[in-house]
Amino acid sequence: MADPTSAKIDTKNEHYTFELAEGVTRTKVTFRNHFGIELAGDLYTPKSAAKNGNAALAISGPFGAVKEQSSGFYANQMASRGYIALAFDPSYTGESGGEPRYMNSPDINTEDFMAAVDYLSTRSNIDPEKIGIVPNGVHMERFEHIPEVQQHEGPFTVGAVVRVVPIKDIVTLLRAFFLVQQELPDAELYVMGGLEEDPDYYALCQQTVEMLQIRNVHFTGSVNVVEYLPKMDVMVLSSISEGQPLAVLEGQAAHRPFVTTDVGCCRELIYGPSDDHLGAAGSIVAPMDFEAMSGEILRLARDFELRRKMGNIGYERAKRGYTYEFFIESYRKIYEQEKEVRR
């Protein structure tokens, strides 16, 4: 049965900046991301592709570019080398939906790629196990001077490395910290990240602090996190959507335990993949559950040895599988596999 989201296109009426490679077909497709935005793509398929078990790639271009340009060019080239490749317009761009037009949102862009991978995995001729994901890599040497969590006098300090925008759900973090202060009145919260992207949301966060009369909340703006992480006892990520957050990896590289929401790859970063037996590097709570979030923060606040242990597990996990060197090596392996596909 034909795919209802697909239809052959008339290339004569399209504005492509390259010629379709011999031995490759191009098909219009649409799919939706987690936010319900319809995304438009071109699926490039080798005419020699098997009926099932094929490897696939999802590709999108730089900000403002559309699938008829660089991403389509690359997808076309990869299809000529044996891959099924999806070039798509990200949200707010080209033929994809979303308003206002030509807005750039890293978070929604991440969701777009996740949706593209989900779409590819539903195709009968693609093996989901052959849709590769290259994990982020952190420069461990940036954090090598930061010691493991220390026991100290003074207030318990909570940190969050986040842009102050709705998708990061800072309001839930503030509500959780309000409950933390009921038991730890001197506790401090540092929200480290840009304030300028959504002034209205930043104003809402300030109003929440004032309304709940929360003390010791510091919105630092953009800072060098390497200078702040040594002061943190526990880190928190309160997002309602993520891909694989670099903020968590950097915190783990600094030996800091985490409380994160159960979004994106956070569960894997905190508890490890199936072949990782290191243990928990923190805890996971449901998105927007400020009571559970505060409970986990307080559990770590009461138990220094648990904080220290979880922070060290996170460090070891980052060192074993999420270094920048591992990131580069993953790409090298992809290109080696590409050579095998061509054979």
Side-chain angles (χ1 to χ4, degrees):
M1 185 172 69
D3 184 345
T5 65
S6 304
K8 294 286 184 178
I9 65 171
D10 178 3
T11 57
K12 294 180 181 178
N13 296 324
E14 299 290 338
H15 303 289
Y16 293 91
T17 60
F18 55 92
E19 294 292 328
L20 186 64
E22 282 190 35
V24 173
T25 63
R26 180 167 54 208
T27 306
K28 284 276 193 185
V29 300
T30 59
F31 52 96
R32 291 185 181 274
N33 68 13
H34 176 73
F35 296 101
I37 298 173
E38 185 175 79
L39 304 177
D42 288 330
L43 191 66
Y44 292 78
T45 305
K47 291 179 180 178
S48 61
K51 291 185 177 180
N52 52 53
N54 294 287
L57 298 166
I59 305 166
S60 189
F63 176 65
V66 292
K67 62 187 180 301
E68 292 81 7
Q69 299 172 336
S70 59
S71 59
F73 174 82
Y74 187 59
N76 183 46
Q77 291 293 313
M78 296 308 290
S80 72
R81 288 162 168 77
Y83 290 91
I84 295 176
L86 173 63
F88 67 93
D89 292 332
S91 296
Y92 314 112
T93 303
E95 292 183 314
S96 291
E99 296 289 343
R101 302 303 292 166
Y102 297 99
M103 182 186 79
N104 184 29
S105 169
D107 304 295
I108 294 180
N109 190 248
T110 298
E111 285 289 341
D112 291 346
F113 270 99
M114 293 169 69
V117 170
D118 287 343
Y119 170 77
L120 288 171
S121 69
T122 66
R123 305 283 301 190
S124 61
N125 59 347
I126 292 173
D127 182 353
E129 296 300 317
K130 293 182 180 178
I131 304 173
I133 298 174
V134 177
N136 276 328
V138 62
H139 287 278
M140 298 291 289
E141 67 276 7
R142 286 186 63 210
F143 307 91
E144 63 186 3
H145 68 284
I146 299 177
E148 64 180 24
V149 171
Q150 303 291 307
Q151 204 158 22
H152 61 87
E153 299 295 329
F156 183 76
T157 306
V158 180
V161 179
V162 286
R163 296 169 9 259
V164 181
V165 293
I167 203 168
K168 301 300 184 183
D169 198 11
I170 312 302
V171 170
T172 288
L173 172 60
L174 293 171
R175 295 173 76 186
F177 188 67
F178 168 76
L179 296 180
V180 168
Q181 280 198 334
Q182 306 312 298
E183 295 196 30
L184 301 173
D186 295 330
E188 298 199 13
L189 171 63
Y190 285 81
V191 180
M192 297 164 274
L195 310 174
E196 304 83 10
E197 189 171 336
D198 193 328
D200 290 339
Y201 188 71
Y202 177 41
L204 174 63
C205 292
Q206 291 178 310
Q207 290 168 10
T208 302
V209 171
E210 294 171 6
M211 180 180 66
L212 295 177
Q213 298 182 333
I214 312 174
R215 303 171 304 282
N216 305 331
V217 176
H218 311 280
F219 289 95
T220 66
S222 297
V223 294
N224 181 359
V225 295
V226 173
E227 297 176 359
Y228 279 77
L229 284 170
K231 308 170 188 175
M232 304 300 136
D233 293 302
V234 64
M235 300 296 294
V236 181
L237 186 77
S238 53
S239 301
I240 58 174
S241 178
E242 284 286 351
Q244 187 184 65
L246 190 60
V248 172
L249 288 173
E250 290 185 337
Q252 290 178 327
H255 298 269
R256 265 49 197 170
F258 265 88
V259 177
T260 80
T261 46
D262 195 1
V263 293
C265 292
C266 288
R267 180 171 289 272
E268 180 178 303
L269 295 180
I270 299 303
Y271 297 138
S274 59
D275 59 349
D276 177 334
H277 305 293
L278 290 171
S283 55
I284 298 281
V285 300
M288 304 180 73
D289 190 344
F290 64 92
E291 292 179 327
M293 187 178 293
S294 67
E296 290 301 318
I297 294 171
L298 286 168
R299 181 167 75 97
L300 286 166
R302 297 186 189 108
D303 191 336
F304 166 72
E305 284 302 323
L306 182 63
R307 291 201 307 277
R308 187 185 62 80
K309 178 182 177 181
M310 287 182 165
N312 289 342
I313 288 172
Y315 172 82
E316 189 63 30
R317 181 164 294 134
K319 186 174 75 171
R320 290 188 184 186
Y322 299 97
T323 64
Y324 181 76
E325 291 75 18
F326 184 84
F327 168 78
I328 295 298
E329 183 60 26
S330 296
Y331 272 103
R332 288 199 183 102
K333 288 180 180 178
I334 287 174
Y335 284 105
E336 287 298 319
Q337 291 168 2
E338 187 269 335
K339 292 178 184 177
E340 293 298 320
V341 169
R342 292 186 70 180
R343 292 174 189 159

